[in-house]
Amino acid sequence: MLAGVSARAQEKAVFGLYNSPKGFGLTVHSPVNGSSFDSFCLHADSFGFFSGRVSNPGVKFNYSRNFILKEIRDDDLRLQFFAGPGVSAAYVYDYETSRLFVLFGGDELQKNMGLAACLSCTAGTRLLFDDCRISLDLSFRSELGVHIRRDEVKSSMNLSWYIMGALETFYPELTIFYRF
C-alpha cells in the first residue's frame, strides 16, 4: 500500500509558459530522473516583431538535457541550480548591423528569414513549491550555430553565423510551470 502512495507522488510532466524578451511560448520538462531532466521549448521569436520592423515573428524549438548541479531544500521549498547542453532549430530573422537596439519604430529589416541550426547551453535555477503544483524557472541560454537564408538580390542561398543566438545570451527566460 505504501509503494502505491510513493509512486503516485512522482511528477508525470511539467508544462509551462515561456516568457522572455526573446519571445513567448510553451515549455515541457520531463520528470527529474536521478540528477537530470529534459527540457523542450517551442516559442515565437520576437526579434523585430514588437518594434514593428517585421510583420511576422519567427519560430524556435530548443531541446536541452539539464543536469542538477545543486539542490537546496527548506520546509516547503526546493531551489535547484542546473545547466546543460542542447540543440536549437529555428525559422527566424537574424541580426542586421545598426538595427538591433531599436525598440520602437525604425526601419524594417532588410534580410529574409532563414533556417537556424544551433548547439545551445542552458543554465538557470528552478524554484519548486512542495505545497502547490506551481514552480518557477529562471534561466539563460546561449546558442552557437548557422543561419541559412535566401539572398534578397541574387536569389542564392547565404550561409552565415547565427549572431542573435550569441547576442541574446543574457536575455532572461522566465517560465511558470504547473506540475502534473
Side-chain angles (χ1 to χ4, degrees):
M1 183 185 273
L2 292 177
V5 171
S6 65
R8 189 169 177 215
Q10 296 282 332
E11 293 177 351
K12 303 259 188 274
V14 181
F15 294 93
L17 296 175
Y18 173 89
N19 307 282
S20 174
K22 297 178 185 182
F24 302 94
L26 299 172
T27 300
V28 176
H29 281 184
S30 67
V32 173
N33 182 9
S35 63
S36 65
F37 63 93
D38 295 319
S39 176
F40 304 89
C41 180
L42 179 66
H43 73 274
D45 184 74
S46 65
F47 175 60
F49 182 71
F50 293 115
S51 62
R53 298 178 328 175
V54 298
S55 58
N56 51 344
V59 63
K60 187 181 286 187
F61 175 78
N62 176 266
Y63 163 76
S64 294
R65 177 71 169 177
N66 297 304
F67 297 93
I68 298 172
L69 305 174
K70 175 117 176 121
E71 181 173 87
I72 300 170
R73 290 181 174 264
D74 199 12
D75 293 334
D76 293 332
L77 183 70
R78 288 182 289 158
L79 183 64
Q80 297 175 336
F81 298 94
F82 64 90
V87 293
S88 293
Y91 185 67
V92 292
Y93 290 98
D94 198 8
Y95 172 79
E96 293 185 26
T97 306
S98 74
R99 298 179 188 273
L100 176 63
F101 297 106
V102 177
L103 295 178
F104 301 102
D107 298 334
E108 290 185 11
L109 296 178
Q110 301 301 311
K111 296 180 181 176
N112 289 327
M113 289 179 91
L115 297 173
C118 308
L119 295 176
S120 66
C121 179
T122 304
T125 183
R126 292 189 342 167
L127 186 61
L128 297 103
F129 303 96
D130 290 336
D131 58 347
C132 70
R133 296 188 173 277
I134 303 294
S135 62
L136 301 174
D137 183 1
L138 178 64
S139 60
F140 297 90
R141 180 173 59 230
S142 182
E143 296 168 320
L144 176 63
V146 294
H147 188 257
I148 304 167
R149 66 175 176 80
R150 182 167 299 284
D151 188 274
E152 300 73 32
V153 177
K154 300 177 187 175
S155 295
S156 63
M157 299 301 282
N158 285 351
L159 174 66
S160 62
W161 291 108
Y162 179 53
I163 297 170
M164 288 305 294
L167 290 177
E168 294 178 336
T169 296
F170 295 105
Y171 285 11
E173 302 173 350
L174 175 66
T175 308
I176 303 168
F177 285 103
Y178 185 79
R179 300 186 317 256
F180 288 94

